Amino acid sequence: MVHIVGAGPGDPELITVKGKRYLQEADVVIYAGSLVNPALLDVCRDGAEIYNSAAMTLDEVIAVVEQSEKSGKMTVRLHTGDPSVYGAIQEQMDAFRKRNIAFDIVPGVSSCFATAAALQQEYTLPGISQTVIITRNEGRTPVPEREKLRSLAAHQSTMCIYLSIAMLDQVVAELIAGGYAPETPIAIVQKASWPEQKIVRGTLATIVEKTRNQGIDRTAMIVVSRCLGADYELSRLYAPEFSHGFRKASR
């Protein structure tokens, strides 16, 4: 059996209980070494075979899994954050299916949510934004025309932009060209939930200069939204004049 496990954003305590249990029980662990906190490997049992997929090709990963299955061993494929977001797991799952290898997925805490925690910010404020867009800027991986930052910016929603910090100046230019005002708040969080977490806040007009000498060049989330600095309407859920299935209006 192969368990595809979301390791969470970095803090070893942010892996799920189920994910940690599988990691403790695994005979073979293949982890994304470029992103997963190696401290998580401390829970692996003595004698577990551990592979760093950062130095492996897809074929090499599948070969290790196949050998593990033939030997009757249990494998954990440990991905950063939640494996469904930029985790490149689809091609692995398709390869498992072709080989009749059973697998399941254990979700994890994505870095966009660890970033919200670091910023102490709700992304969906009434009257400001009720939509969160998870996206990335175009790089080596192409982005469909309808999903380019310039097009998505027209929605004026909260945007969590992955894998794009090295292109921050281009990101800002695209967001402004798409409709965000230069004074729109933006935040950069590097290594959310790690001990070395770093936060830089600014506006679209100032953020490039503010991050220039901060040493932020990878593993950083970009969040742009008016929710980062705005008055907002209170939730109707707790309003005294609002009734729902668990509480009657008090006035």
Side-chain angles (χ1 to χ4, degrees):
M1 182 71 176
V2 180
H3 302 290
I4 301 171
V5 175
D11 182 342
E13 293 185 316
L14 289 180
I15 191 172
T16 63
V17 173
K18 177 177 280 190
K20 182 179 180 180
R21 176 167 61 83
Y22 283 156
L23 199 55
Q24 291 170 326
E25 297 172 353
D27 301 301
V28 177
V29 176
I30 308 171
Y31 76 105
S34 60
L35 295 169
V36 169
N37 189 339
L40 282 162
L41 302 177
D42 292 343
V43 307
C44 295
R45 66 176 184 79
D46 292 341
E49 301 172 38
I50 298 177
Y51 298 84
N52 181 353
S53 65
M56 301 168 72
T57 65
L58 174 62
D59 288 342
E60 288 170 337
V61 169
I62 301 303
V64 169
V65 172
E66 277 193 293
Q67 185 57 50
S68 175
E69 287 293 299
K70 289 176 182 177
S71 302
K73 297 177 179 179
M74 189 261 269
T75 301
V76 163
R77 180 67 173 105
L78 192 63
H79 280 269
T80 187
D82 182 273
S84 69
V85 181
Y86 302 118
I89 64 168
Q90 192 65 52
E91 58 202 48
Q92 296 173 71
M93 294 187 295
D94 289 344
F96 296 157
R97 290 190 183 101
K98 287 179 181 178
R99 293 162 176 80
N100 293 315
I101 295 173
F103 66 91
D104 63 9
I105 303 170
V106 180
V109 178
S110 181
S111 57
C112 71
F113 302 119
T115 294
L119 295 172
Q120 299 182 335
Q121 181 65 58
E122 181 179 345
Y123 288 151
T124 52
L125 292 180
I128 302 297
S129 176
Q130 291 290 286
T131 300
V132 180
I133 296 175
I134 292 176
T135 189
R136 61 171 297 173
N137 193 39
E138 188 170 47
R140 285 185 295 179
T141 301
V143 172
E145 189 65 35
R146 66 185 179 279
E147 295 182 9
K148 292 185 186 296
L149 292 184
R150 185 178 301 213
S151 298
L152 296 177
H155 296 288
Q156 299 289 294
S157 304
T158 298
M159 292 180 67
C160 296
I161 306 172
Y162 286 68
L163 305 169
S164 304
I165 190 63
M167 302 173 279
L168 182 58
D169 54 347
Q170 181 183 339
V171 167
V172 168
E174 287 295 296
L175 292 173
I176 292 175
Y180 282 106
E183 60 270 19
T184 302
I186 185 172
I188 310 293
V189 180
Q190 183 181 45
K191 287 200 164 185
S193 84
W194 294 63
E196 58 267 42
Q197 170 183 289
K198 185 182 295 184
I199 299 173
V200 181
R201 295 176 182 265
T203 66
L204 288 177
T206 65
I207 196 65
V208 172
E209 186 59 34
K210 283 192 170 188
T211 59
R212 194 176 302 282
N213 298 311
Q214 296 291 325
I216 300 176
D217 57 359
R218 61 191 299 271
T219 59
M221 178 68 60
I222 303 169
V223 178
V224 57
S225 176
R226 290 191 298 117
C227 75
L228 295 173
D231 293 329
Y232 59 94
E233 301 171 9
L234 296 181
S235 168
R236 303 303 301 156
L237 180 63
Y238 302 107
E241 69 276 10
F242 183 71
S243 295
H244 54 71
F246 297 91
R247 178 172 58 80
K248 292 182 179 181
S250 58
R251 68 179 189 217

